[in-house]
Amino acid sequence: MKYKGVIETYRKYLPVTEKTPVITFYEGNTPLIHSKYLSELTKCEVYLKYEGANPTGSFKDRGMTLAISKAKEKGSKAVICASTGNTSASAAAYACRADMDCIVIIPKGKIALGKLSQAIMHGAKVFEVDGNFDQALELVREMGEKYPVEIVNSINPFRIEGQKTGAFEVYDQLGAVPDYFCLPVGNAGNITAYWKGFKEYFDNKKISKLPKMTGFQAAGSAPIVLGHPVNNPETIATAIRIGNPASWKTAEAARDQSGGSITSVTDDEIIEAYKLVAGKVGVFCEPASAASVAGLLKRRKEGKIPDQQLVVCVLTGHGLKDPDTAIKTGQKPKSILCNTAAVARELGY
Ligand code: AN7
């Protein structure tokens, strides 16, 4: 088999040795999709990095393959995470493959259905708490201090190391460094990881420029934009419903060192982009992922991004993760009689 996942592909950039057991579902190598529609709309060259095509349907697999492999190497028997959904889905699957227990703490009622079904089906011990993600992460930190469980949230540095391979891949696929690199920001691990990846390619002379890191938070959950934690974060994009990001400082460093920005998009703007990407480009991503495209459109409108720029937007998770939002915001099927005349009439034939 030629493609062996992100650890084998980028082994020399990663903290692994021949002793590290590689726990992989052959994650990574996701499509970088050029969008003619978005390019014409924005007068830029726009590519979508479709991380929903990872084995568990989100970018988290890049970091999880390394975090779980290193936990296995260390001899850990159990891993734990707090999650808005995707981390738990990924942790549950990789822990299952590594024959380890997985403990998941989620905010009650705020996890998209697809993600919850994954954690359940992969046999994680799933606990929901009356609290938000930030409180769940606090609990997980304490559990990690007191008990023999390995934390696999992005406060685990191996998660960031694995996720930086996304940056390598974007350059390897595109053969160029984007001018603007757009992505959603929640706990801020991914923007931290991508920036680390781009800088490492730069330091290794693989690339000779760096992208402007352009992050987007949901307006109701925008602590980095506001400059203070948000106690009761809210947004329809539950994946990024986070009020006190763990990687806050490194996200600011990525923003400032790259000459980029972290700004906010409203839920309406997110849903509009979500529908546009699905309905006009043909790529189905979850609402949080659409924040990257919503943000690009907004900053173009505001004149903050010039014409003719090379732009990559990361679509962090698959649309099937959150069927409820699709059904709620999308068009409704129309009931008709089961005969050709009825269909033809509807189609105006
Ligand atoms: C689809 O799963 O935090 O800024 O617990 O699922 O690196 O946190 C998910 C985050 C963007 C934000 N898009 O990334 C979790 C979790 C999707 C996500 C983010 C998440 P970070």
Side-chain angles (χ1 to χ4, degrees):
M1 192 156 63
K2 262 191 171 168
Y3 185 75
K4 294 186 180 151
V6 300
I7 293 182
E8 293 306 347
T9 305
Y10 296 108
R11 180 173 270 273
K12 71 171 182 181
Y13 294 95
L14 296 172
V16 290
T17 67
E18 60 289 353
K19 290 205 197 82
T20 312
V22 176
I23 312 295
T24 181
F25 287 112
Y26 317 107
E27 59 295 309
N29 198 22
T30 55
L32 183 67
I33 303 167
H34 179 256
S35 172
K36 187 163 179 278
Y37 180 85
L38 291 174
S39 298
E40 284 173 2
L41 189 64
T42 58
K43 300 191 178 72
C44 286
E45 275 314 306
V46 182
Y47 288 81
L48 303 173
K49 181 65 171 156
Y50 191 33
E51 290 290 278
N54 273 298
T56 79
S58 85
F59 72 98
K60 304 285 181 184
D61 294 347
R62 293 181 184 277
M64 205 55 73
T65 183
L66 195 65
I68 297 287
S69 296
K70 295 302 282 187
K72 188 74 183 171
E73 179 178 1
K74 198 171 145 186
S76 306
K77 298 280 182 279
V79 297
I80 189 168
C81 66
S83 184
T84 59
N86 280 324
T87 296
S88 64
S90 186
Y94 281 81
C96 174
R97 192 153 171 86
D99 201 16
M100 296 164 88
D101 286 335
C102 179
I103 303 139
V104 161
I105 313 281
I106 53 173
K108 196 177 191 166
K110 297 293 181 181
I111 303 294
L113 209 59
K115 307 173 187 183
L116 184 56
S117 56
Q118 287 176 290
I120 290 167
M121 289 306 293
H122 294 310
K125 295 176 168 59
V126 181
F127 301 103
E128 45 183 32
V129 294
D130 280 319
N132 57 37
F133 169 84
D134 307 288
Q135 291 156 330
L137 183 58
E138 215 29 64
L139 169 60
V140 162
R141 285 184 198 266
E142 280 178 40
M143 287 298 297
E145 273 165 31
K146 292 187 181 149
Y147 299 98
V149 288
E150 194 68 24
I151 298 172
V152 292
N153 281 103
S154 56
I155 55 175
N156 178 331
F158 296 125
R159 280 279 312 281
I160 303 293
E161 289 297 311
Q163 280 172 216
K164 77 185 178 190
T165 62
F168 302 159
E169 227 177 79
V170 164
Y171 174 73
D172 291 344
Q173 291 174 321
L174 194 58
V177 177
D179 299 307
Y180 288 82
F181 193 79
C182 300
L183 75 175
V185 175
N187 212 24
N190 212 29
I191 191 169
T192 299
Y194 266 103
W195 181 236
K196 187 166 198 289
F198 284 121
K199 277 194 306 185
E200 285 183 18
Y201 255 23
F202 186 85
D203 291 341
N204 281 276
K205 309 230 165 5
K206 298 270 289 185
I207 57 178
S208 55
K209 63 169 269 191
L210 288 161
K212 290 184 170 61
M213 301 302 287
T214 311
F216 299 100
Q217 299 198 291
S221 309
I224 300 177
V225 181
L226 296 169
H228 60 77
V230 174
N231 286 332
N232 296 302
E234 271 312 335
T235 168
I236 193 167
T238 51
I240 52 173
R241 185 176 169 271
I242 295 173
N244 192 10
S247 297
W248 190 323
K249 288 281 163 293
T250 45
E252 285 182 341
R255 175 194 67 192
D256 298 341
Q257 290 169 15
S258 72
S261 61
I262 298 177
T263 54
S264 65
V265 284
T266 65
D267 278 7
D268 285 348
E269 288 163 341
I270 288 173
I271 292 302
E272 198 183 318
Y274 170 64
K275 289 179 167 175
L276 200 75
V277 173
K280 297 290 184 191
V281 184
V283 176
F284 195 21
C285 69
E286 62 173 284
S289 308
S292 62
V293 173
L296 167 64
L297 299 179
K298 188 171 189 170
R299 288 190 77 73
R300 274 293 293 154
K301 231 176 257 162
E302 294 171 350
K304 301 273 170 47
I305 297 177
D307 289 0
Q308 312 289 329
Q309 302 295 294
L310 180 59
V311 181
V312 172
C313 295
V314 187
L315 299 182
T316 44
H318 202 292
L320 290 173
K321 292 276 194 173
D322 189 356
D324 288 322
T325 302
I327 299 293
K328 237 180 271 161
T329 62
Q331 55 161 320
K332 308 286 173 283
K334 191 166 183 184
S335 273
I336 56 161
L337 290 174
C338 191
N339 61 51
T340 53
V343 183
R345 190 163 48 243
E346 290 298 333
L347 297 175
Y349 290 160

